[in-house]
Amino acid sequence: MRALTVEPGKANSISLDTVAEPAAAPDVLAVRALALGICGTDRDIIAGDYGWAPQGKQRLVLGHESLGVVERTPKESGFAAGDHVVGIVRRPDPVPCPACASGEWDMCRNGRYTERGIKEIDGYGAERYTLKPGFAVRVDKALGLLGVLLEPASVVAKAWDHVNRIGRRSRAWAPRTALITGAGPVGLLAALMAKQQGLEVHVFDRATAGPKPELTRQLGGTYHVGDFGGLRPDIVIECTGVGQVVLDAVKAAAIGGIVCLAGISSGGHNFDLDIAAMNKQLVLENGLVFGSVNANRAHYEAAAQALAKADKDWLARLISRRVPLDRWREAFEIHPDDIKVVIDFTA
Ligand code: BGC
């Protein structure tokens, strides 16, 4: 079968290879790929800046944003042939640490977790793969290819889960405004979930043309370019990872506000940061800045509900290009109006 593979640490080593079929085992779902979403992490791995091959191997099957159809199931797995499923990305560390032991592998305490298509386990960028039922999440078939948005949506569902739990540090927490910085797929999904919670939604991005301003307006949100228009948001979900935007977002947050950093920085840009001034603001205003990565099963399930409730036409516009596997190279090109690019395994 065909699979997209890379040699982690080596720039531009990606190729479409013929690899062995997944080994048959009695306790796993046999899944045929329908679609694979591409994200910044995949680009970092392709650039040689991130990613780890499985132990004893040189190459890693790329891909962690999956959508597949179940072909065979073990008895009493809770799944049936024909179900659409998304594979969970992370696997608990082998110790396991207390977080992984309790199913919160997204909060792994020793860093020895593994991730399909990213860290030491082959990913979902293959025509066929297997999944243990505990790491498969059923998605509404009515979503069709849009089910591939579940993994990025799970990352956002975790960010919101933690914002809301942290918010409860004050009995008076009643947030009204949310600012989302970055109108990529993660940012727009964060904006969708903000709207679903009844918050006033603001989205900041540098794009002045293309679909992002309109997608924000269709959610009933306000789109900002250049600055945040004097907004003091109760909640910020920062999805750009750009240093200056992170700093501006922290400065803009309302008194007692919460800033969740969900974008991974590429690094390399220096700018002035007055740590003492930031310390003063955070202390005197009970400010809170925290990071959030990955997602556990509960977040995938919350994300599946959020997608099921969303307007399908709006969601469909998040997928800006579908590229057949044969033309996979095009999926990694950067087009100005791209939001989410998906490799279509059925085309
Ligand atoms: C994935 C997460 C993963 C993170 C770090 C992200 O692109 O969506 O599941 O934990 O990369 O490897």
Side-chain angles (χ1 to χ4, degrees):
M1 66 167 181
R2 295 175 300 168
L4 284 168
T5 75
V6 288
E7 189 178 326
K10 186 172 162 193
N12 301 319
S13 63
I14 183 167
S15 56
L16 182 65
D17 292 343
T18 301
V19 302
E21 290 287 337
D27 59 341
V28 294
L29 308 176
V31 179
R32 178 168 55 79
L34 296 174
L36 183 75
I38 306 301
C39 85
T41 301
D42 299 310
R43 292 183 202 286
D44 288 346
I45 296 172
I46 294 167
D49 294 336
Y50 195 61
W52 297 261
Q55 271 195 353
K57 287 196 182 173
Q58 235 177 352
R59 296 188 78 82
L60 168 79
V61 174
L62 191 69
H64 61 279
E65 295 187 7
S66 65
L67 175 70
V69 59
V70 174
E71 296 203 306
R72 281 187 317 280
T73 69
K75 269 198 202 112
E76 288 162 29
S77 65
F79 292 87
D83 281 352
H84 283 191
V85 286
V86 164
I88 288 177
V89 173
R90 196 173 277 194
R91 298 293 177 276
D93 76 74
V95 174
C97 73
C100 286
S102 69
E104 283 190 344
W105 48 73
D106 58 314
M107 299 298 288
C108 180
R109 296 295 307 276
N110 62 20
R112 291 180 60 194
Y113 64 84
T114 53
E115 289 180 338
R116 287 197 72 163
I118 301 175
K119 187 170 184 270
E120 298 164 23
I121 1 176
D122 281 335
Y124 301 122
E127 289 180 290
R128 282 169 290 281
Y129 47 85
T130 57
L131 279 173
K132 288 222 162 109
F135 293 100
V137 183
R138 189 184 293 103
V139 281
D140 186 356
K141 266 185 155 179
L143 284 171
L145 201 82
L146 299 176
V148 76
L149 294 171
L150 186 65
E151 196 279 337
S154 74
V155 167
V156 175
K158 173 186 172 175
W160 274 115
D161 173 36
H162 283 212
V163 164
N164 290 327
R165 288 204 230 181
I166 292 168
R168 291 197 287 274
R169 70 191 167 142
S170 163
R171 281 188 297 275
W173 177 242
R176 202 174 57 79
T177 49
L179 169 67
I180 315 298
T181 49
V186 168
L188 287 167
L189 289 166
L192 169 74
M193 290 183 200
K195 188 70 196 172
Q196 289 180 339
Q197 294 170 75
L199 293 164
E200 184 187 300
V201 180
H202 294 260
V203 175
F204 168 86
D205 196 278
R206 61 183 174 190
T208 50
K212 294 174 178 179
E214 184 56 21
L215 282 163
T216 302
R217 276 191 288 274
Q218 284 173 349
L219 278 182
T222 308
Y223 191 80
H224 301 264
V225 181
D227 58 32
F228 309 144
L231 184 76
R232 301 290 317 271
D234 298 317
I235 298 166
V236 180
I237 311 277
E238 204 303 302
C239 305
T240 69
V242 174
Q244 190 62 53
V245 180
V246 172
L247 184 56
D248 291 346
V250 173
K251 284 187 185 159
I255 295 176
I258 298 177
V259 179
C260 171
L261 306 181
I264 300 171
S265 303
S266 50
H269 301 282
N270 293 326
F271 61 93
D272 287 333
L273 167 59
D274 183 342
I275 297 180
M278 175 158 293
N279 176 75
K280 190 172 172 188
Q281 180 200 335
L282 291 175
V283 171
L284 292 180
E285 299 186 357
N286 287 301
L288 199 144
V289 184
F290 79 101
S292 179
V293 71
N294 196 252
N296 64 45
R297 188 167 193 104
H299 303 127
Y300 280 80
E301 280 159 9
Q305 283 181 22
L307 294 185
K309 274 193 284 182
D311 180 279
K312 302 289 169 292
D313 294 334
W314 186 87
L315 278 182
R317 293 190 63 200
L318 297 190
I319 299 187
S320 43
R321 285 190 293 133
R322 296 173 177 202
V323 178
L325 182 60
D326 287 341
R327 305 213 313 258
W328 62 273
R329 275 188 195 281
E330 291 170 31
F332 298 96
E333 291 167 1
I334 296 183
H335 293 194
D337 287 352
D338 274 345
I339 300 181
K340 171 62 69 190
V341 179
V342 167
I343 299 183
D344 186 346
F345 279 70
T346 66

